[in-house]
Amino acid sequence: LAGIGGRVSGIMATTAAASKILAIDGCPLNCVKLGLEQAGFSGFEHLQLADLGMEKGKTPMTSEAVEKAAAAGAAKLGC
């Protein structure tokens, strides 16, 4: 995301060439989603972890939480 925000040419090109993009945000500020939009990207899927009941700073990193997020991301991408 830092490379997108900094408009690093190689990262911008790689992102533009991706067949699918999944933006994962860990808090309601949606920095990843907004960063991609401000860089001119659209048509990406967005996963807000708070929508899964994972509140930033209050959700422990467990294998169950990782599996839940991965499953939600896969579903967003149609995998």
Side-chain angles (χ1 to χ4, degrees), residues 1-8 11-13 15-16 21 31-42 44:
L1 183 59
I4 297 294
R7 306 300 194 271
V8 177
I11 293 173
M12 294 289 289
T15 304
I21 299 170
C31 295
V32 175
K33 178 181 184 238
L34 294 173
L36 285 168
E37 289 173 345
Q38 289 177 3
F41 293 98
S42 61
F44 55 86

Side-chain angles (χ1 to χ4, degrees), residues 1-78:
L1 183 59
I4 297 294
R7 306 300 194 271
V8 177
S9 61
I11 293 173
M12 294 289 289
T14 300
T15 304
S19 61
K20 295 180 182 180
I21 299 170
L22 175 63
I24 302 173
D25 274 302
C27 81
L29 294 177
N30 292 320
C31 295
V32 175
K33 178 181 184 238
L34 294 173
L36 285 168
E37 289 173 345
Q38 289 177 3
F41 293 98
S42 61
F44 55 86
E45 295 298 326
H46 180 241
L47 176 61
Q48 172 49 258
L49 295 180
D51 292 343
L52 300 176
M54 298 179 190
E55 191 174 345
K56 183 177 180 177
K58 297 183 180 179
T59 303
M61 177 63 76
T62 64
S63 58
E64 292 83 14
V66 172
E67 289 173 20
K68 185 176 184 179
K76 290 268 185 184
L77 294 174

